[in-house]
C-alpha cells in the first residue's frame, strides 16, 4: 500500500507466490488471491492479516465480491465461494476438470465462468448449484461480461495459427446468439462502454475493436497502432 499523494510505502504483505489478479476492496478490507493457492483478507489501513484460506490450486485472477461471499477461480478446475467475513469455505462449483483462469462474473444471483477447455458454466451464487453448462471449442482465459440477458465471452480458437472470437450467449440457458471472429486470440476481458463492447487483440492493425451490442456485434470502429518510420 502506497501513500496516494507521494508514493511512500505504508505497508506490505508477502504471500508465498506471485499475485496475478488485482485485489478487491470493501469496507476497509482488501481481498487478495495468490498463486500460492490461498485467498487473503487484509486490513487496508495496516496490512494486518484478518484471515487466509488455502484452496486446491493456484489462483490466477482477482477475487470477486458478492453480498456475503467472495468468489475466486482456480487452476484446480473450480470456482470457490468463501464467507466474506471469515474465509470459511461455502462451496466449490466444479468445471469440467480444466483450469478456470478468468475471474467469474456475479450478476443477479448467478455466477458465470468458463475454463480453458472451452466450457461455460452458470451456477447459483449462494449454493453453487449448476444452472446450465455449454461446451464450446474455444479456450476461455477471460472473465464473462454480462449485459442484460446476454453473456459475452472473449476466447481463443485453437489451430495451426490460433485465432479468437467474441461470442454472445443467452444467460438463461447458454444458447449461442452470435459470434464475431478475430484474427488473433483474445486474452483480455472486453470493456463495456455504453452499448459498445471494446475488444483488445494482438493484431497491430486492429489493436482495439468496438463492437455494436445492439446489432449482433457489428464492428463500429477499430484502432490500429500508428505507423512509424525508421
Amino acid at each position: 500500500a502506497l501513500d496516494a499523494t507521494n508514493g511512500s510505502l505504508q505497508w506490505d504483505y508477502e504471500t508465498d507466490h506471485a499475485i496475478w489478479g488485482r485485489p478487491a476492496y470493501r469496507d476497509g478490507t482488501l481481498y487478495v488471491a495468490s498463486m500460492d493457492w490461498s485467498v487473503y483478507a487484509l486490513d487496508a489501513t495496516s496490512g494486518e492479516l484478518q484471515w487466509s484460506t488455502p484452496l486446491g490450486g493456484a489462483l490466477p485472477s482477482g477475487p470477486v465480491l458478492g453480498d456475503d461471499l467472495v468468489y475466486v477461480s482456480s487452476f484446480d478446475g473450480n470456482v470457490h465461494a468463501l464467507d466474506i467475513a471469515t474465509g470459511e469455505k461455502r462451496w466449490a462449483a466444479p468445471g469440467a476438470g480444466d483450469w478456470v483462469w478468468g475471474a467469474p462474473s456475479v450478476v443477479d444471483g448467478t455466477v458465470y465462468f468458463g475454463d480453458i477447455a472451452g466450457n461455460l458454466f452458470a451456477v447459483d451464487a449462494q449454493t453453487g448449484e449448476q444452472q446450465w453448462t455449454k461446451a464450446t471449442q474455444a479456450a476461455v482465459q477471460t472473465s464473462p461480461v454480462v449485459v442484460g440477458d446476454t453473456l459475452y465471452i472473449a476466447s481463443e480458437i485453437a489451430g495451426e495459427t490460433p485465432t479468437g472470437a467474441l461470442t454472445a450467449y443467452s444467460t438463461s440457458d447458454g444458447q449461442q446468439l452470435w459470434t464475431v471472429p478475430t484474427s488473433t486470440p483474445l486474452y483480455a476481458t472486453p470493456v463495456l462502454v455504453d452499448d459498445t463492447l471494446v475488444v483488445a487483440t494482438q493484431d497491430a492493425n486492429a489493436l482495439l475493436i468496438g463492437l455494436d451490442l445492439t446489432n449482433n456485434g457489428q464492428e463500429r470502429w477499430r484502432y490500429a497502432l500508428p505507423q512509424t518510420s525508421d
Side-chain angles (χ1 to χ4, degrees):
L2 307 179
D3 186 288
T5 59
N6 59 30
S8 63
L9 178 66
Q10 301 299 294
W11 57 260
D12 60 18
Y13 185 93
E14 185 173 357
T15 66
D16 291 330
H17 207 290
I19 298 169
W20 287 7
R22 65 181 182 182
Y25 172 85
R26 180 182 293 168
D27 298 334
T29 300
L30 284 175
Y31 301 89
V32 181
S34 172
M35 294 296 283
D36 68 7
W37 299 24
S38 292
V39 182
Y40 299 84
L42 307 174
D43 183 283
T45 301
S46 66
E48 181 181 357
L49 179 66
Q50 297 180 349
W51 55 257
S52 65
T53 302
L55 298 173
L59 310 176
S61 297
V64 175
L65 304 184
D67 292 335
D68 57 353
L69 298 176
V70 54
Y71 305 92
V72 291
S73 58
S74 174
F75 282 175
D76 70 1
N78 295 275
V79 164
H80 297 268
L82 311 178
D83 186 285
I84 202 168
T86 66
E88 179 184 358
K89 300 175 185 178
R90 290 283 192 87
W91 53 256
D98 221 319
W99 289 355
V100 182
W101 196 310
S105 294
V106 186
V107 180
D108 295 334
T110 299
V111 177
Y112 302 94
F113 64 97
D115 65 20
I116 64 167
N119 301 291
L120 304 179
F121 305 90
V123 302
D124 184 274
Q126 286 300 311
T127 66
E129 181 180 359
Q130 189 174 102
Q131 297 178 352
W132 55 258
T133 181
K134 171 75 172 180
T136 77
Q137 302 302 314
V140 179
Q141 296 186 31
T142 61
S143 297
V145 177
V146 180
V147 183
D149 57 1
T150 305
L151 180 73
Y152 300 96
I153 300 290
S155 60
E156 175 186 6
I157 310 297
E160 184 176 346
T161 301
T163 58
L166 188 286
T167 308
Y169 300 89
S170 168
T171 57
S172 63
D173 58 9
Q175 179 182 356
Q176 182 176 316
L177 304 176
W178 50 260
T179 189
V180 175
T182 59
S183 59
T184 63
L186 302 181
Y187 297 131
T189 299
V191 175
L192 180 67
V193 182
D194 297 326
D195 57 2
T196 299
L197 202 59
V198 182
V199 176
T201 82
Q202 297 179 327
D203 185 348
N205 296 315
L207 193 65
L208 297 174
I209 303 173
L211 302 178
D212 184 356
L213 299 189
T214 66
N215 193 19
N216 293 338
Q218 181 175 335
E219 184 176 319
R220 281 182 162 170
W221 54 262
R222 62 175 52 197
Y223 173 79
L225 286 175
Q227 297 293 320
T228 59
S229 58
D230 296 334

